[in-house]
Amino acid sequence: MSSFKELGLSSSMLTNLDRLGFAQPTGVQVKALPPALAGKDVIAMAQTGSGKTAAFGIPLIERLQPKRFAVQALVLCPTRELADQVAKALRELARAKENVKVLTLCGGVSIGPQIGSLSHGAHIIVGTPGRIDDHIRKGTLALDNVNTLVLDEADRMLDMGFEEVVASILAQTPSSRQTLLFSATWPAPIRTLSERFQVNPEDVRVEAQHAEGSISELFYEIAPNQQVEAIAALLSRYQPASSLIFCTTKRDCDDLTGQLQELGFAALSLHGDLDQKDRDGTLVKFANQSCTVLVATDVAARGLDIKALPLVINAEPARDPEVHTHRIGRTGRAGEQGHAVTLCTPRHGHKVSRLESIRGSAVEWGDTGDLMAEPLRLVRPAMKTLCLASGRKEKVRPGDVLGALTGDAGIPGTAVGKIDLFDFQCFVAVQAAWADRALARLESGKVKGRKIRVRFA
Ligand code: AMP
């Protein structure tokens, strides 16, 4: 099956896929769509970037009856970022049908407005298990009309201890439902989860989607006290506009971020202890290129939708080979060349040996002396982020902000980057050279006829 047409999709879906630029199904779509469209349960091993969202999104939307005002599909995700991303993708796919309402229900924001939105009706719910469970308990969410249930990044939901909450949510759905399970890794607990909740599922596995040779991977052996120096040397050498550094603990993330900042790098740390507001701010700054280095734990980095990172660094080897593969899969996407570097102290030797034995080949080691001789060259962020103390709830739209900047101010539209709107604030990226002028302009001007507080984020 090599085309969407042969899958028997509706003509409106085909037109929509065409509009989205999806010329051909990806590997996981080729394998998962036929059984999923036929209503069967599917267990699929697929990574972020493989096209997995459309692999469950297309069947779910094809099956949906917009005229029936009831929740017909439920997608459970481990994190709010992933849920937002999935909801966005589903809305795009749902343009094939009229008036499909997709609602996200995640923790970290107040529950009141969600209850309001639910009372207006929704066809598809995307959310995190904890908050969905809260709604069920409050009686604000009924799942007795759900015919498609998706567990996205199921391995991560298990890692985060959601198994029993997921079980109790599933118990609220009809047993005749279709259950689609997606997971990046394939450990035994995932098989158990599948056995618990699925009926004769179709197994779908696709190899990680890396074009051959697109990731160049190197290992360096360092002394424990050389970690920061080695990372600074790698950043100086590769000069990546964006890079992701993996640490094992939150504490390591914060320490390393602080040390890189002291050297002058635009580094930020991302881990589970950040509150939602700081997390949003960090993700925005990384995605809009006003922060160039993100230091993260595995869990926190999950669901990050950053395309083609030029450099991924493991500050130390990952806990196991599967996690390693997942980490380095964040670079070299979509045919672009990426670098993945792993730093190891002698104490980490066994982890590298395990990786080698699983791969059946030796890893390549770089020359540490040569790396350490690299002169320090900072990576200057291309953009700076302005934070406006007003957002969606005050009916601010991206066009209003863009207008306020480019209007009389003479700031060229090309100097304005990503605009990210949240309920009560808005972030706008501006090319570094124009940033001061943009700030002054917004401070003295008005957005939507009102004065708005602005600062550098
Ligand atoms: P995902 O793995 O679901 O996060 O998807 C990764 C990216 O691939 C998203 O930006 C999708 O919009 C895109 N995508 C999904 N399916 C296709 C396809 N058949 N052709 C082209 N792009 C696709």
Side-chain angles (χ1 to χ4, degrees):
M1 197 76 62
S2 59
S3 76
F4 283 119
K5 236 193 197 120
E6 290 167 74
L7 292 166
L9 301 182
S10 64
S11 60
S12 58
M13 180 60 86
L14 289 173
T15 313
N16 190 37
L17 292 175
D18 197 42
R19 189 187 61 82
L20 289 170
F22 293 11
Q24 276 183 340
T26 65
V28 66
Q29 291 163 4
V30 167
K31 291 194 180 164
L33 282 174
L37 285 163
K40 292 193 67 177
D41 283 0
V42 172
I43 170 166
M45 180 162 83
Q47 321 252 345
T48 302
S50 61
K52 65 184 169 76
T53 316
F56 62 74
I58 293 171
L60 176 162
I61 286 159
E62 286 284 61
R63 193 165 180 184
L64 201 80
Q65 298 174 303
K67 292 215 166 65
R68 264 182 69 214
F69 294 102
V71 176
Q72 297 166 51
L74 173 66
V75 183
L76 295 178
C77 300
T79 63
R80 195 182 86 154
E81 282 76 33
L82 182 67
D84 284 341
Q85 210 174 297
V86 167
K88 197 170 146 217
L90 291 180
R91 285 190 188 105
E92 297 252 286
L93 290 168
R95 289 210 209 150
K97 291 205 166 150
E98 258 163 58
N99 298 324
V100 174
K101 185 101 191 288
V102 182
L103 190 66
T104 51
L105 297 177
C106 298
V109 296
S110 59
I111 199 165
Q114 295 181 342
I115 295 174
S117 303
L118 275 168
S119 69
H120 292 113
H123 298 104
I124 305 173
I125 300 285
V126 185
T128 47
R131 181 54 63 93
I132 303 250
D133 193 47
D134 292 344
H135 280 287
I136 295 173
R137 284 170 199 279
K138 277 185 185 292
T140 46
L141 174 65
L143 299 177
D144 34 356
N145 285 299
V146 165
N147 48 37
T148 313
L149 189 130
V150 181
L151 301 171
D152 195 8
E153 299 200 352
D155 49 352
R156 201 51 51 170
M157 286 201 276
L158 290 183
D159 285 353
M160 293 168 82
F162 280 138
E163 180 163 3
E164 287 321 306
V165 185
V166 168
S168 104
I169 295 171
L170 265 70
Q172 302 295 317
T173 63
S175 55
S176 59
R177 65 162 197 270
Q178 176 185 32
T179 310
L180 307 174
L181 187 159
F182 285 74
S183 176
T185 59
W186 207 253
I190 285 291
R191 313 296 313 179
T192 313
L193 189 75
S194 164
E195 278 159 24
R196 212 171 149 190
F197 300 122
Q198 296 190 294
V199 183
N200 293 329
E202 186 97 7
D203 256 13
V204 168
R205 295 203 200 193
V206 265
E207 299 307 318
Q209 301 276 303
H210 305 310
E212 197 61 48
S214 63
I215 301 179
S216 77
E217 203 187 350
L218 268 184
F219 288 68
Y220 287 94
E221 184 168 328
I222 57 164
N225 63 1
Q226 281 182 310
Q227 197 188 59
V228 179
E229 206 186 324
I231 289 171
L234 288 165
L235 296 172
S236 300
R237 175 173 290 180
Y238 292 110
Q239 292 286 301
S242 302
S243 56
L244 183 57
I245 304 179
F246 285 103
C247 286
T248 313
T249 67
K250 300 167 187 173
R251 175 94 197 267
D252 293 343
C253 280
D254 284 339
D255 289 350
L256 179 58
T257 304
Q259 286 162 315
L260 289 172
Q261 285 172 346
E262 263 171 42
L263 287 171
F265 288 99
L268 290 173
S269 133
L270 185 75
H271 55 62
D273 278 356
L274 297 184
D275 64 27
Q276 198 62 52
K277 213 170 148 208
D278 288 339
R279 204 179 150 80
D280 287 340
T282 299
L283 290 172
V284 161
K285 284 195 266 179
F286 188 60
N288 75 16
Q289 304 206 327
S290 51
C291 145
T292 55
V293 185
L294 192 66
V295 185
T297 56
D298 289 296
V299 171
R302 195 67 181 218
L304 265 185
D305 185 27
I306 309 289
K307 295 206 168 66
L309 284 168
L311 177 65
V312 169
I313 300 174
N314 293 314
E316 57 182 281
R319 134 173 82 82
D320 62 44
E322 278 190 297
V323 174
H324 179 87
T325 306
H326 195 252
R327 285 179 174 186
I328 69 167
R330 297 197 160 268
T331 183
R333 291 222 184 123
E336 293 192 32
Q337 173 77 28
H339 297 279
V341 178
T342 304
L343 302 176
C344 316
T345 63
R347 162 174 92 79
H348 294 125
H350 65 286
K351 290 192 178 170
V352 180
S353 313
R354 248 193 93 204
L355 189 64
E356 291 181 320
S357 75
I358 281 187
R359 287 183 178 176
S361 60
V363 304
E364 192 182 330
W365 293 92
D367 181 336
T368 306
D370 183 51
L371 177 66
M372 293 305 192
E374 192 76 35
L376 183 71
R377 277 200 301 145
L378 297 177
V379 189
R380 305 271 175 212
M383 312 294 277
K384 272 180 114 167
T385 300
L386 293 168
C387 176
L388 283 64
S390 196
R392 220 181 267 135
K393 294 278 182 209
E394 284 103 350
K395 308 256 184 284
V396 171
R397 281 167 311 181
D400 302 324
V401 180
L402 186 63
L405 282 168
T406 55
D408 313 325
I411 293 177
T414 50
V416 183
K418 252 181 121 216
I419 297 176
D420 291 280
L421 264 183
F422 290 83
D423 283 351
F424 300 105
Q425 55 183 354
C426 168
F427 296 95
V428 50
V430 179
Q431 276 179 11
W434 291 94
D436 289 335
R437 193 152 155 194
L439 178 69
R441 166 69 191 166
L442 287 177
E443 272 175 338
S444 61
K446 290 182 175 173
V447 177
K448 289 213 103 174
R450 282 186 301 119
K451 281 238 168 259
I452 286 179
R453 265 190 300 129
V454 203
R455 59 179 172 84
F456 281 122

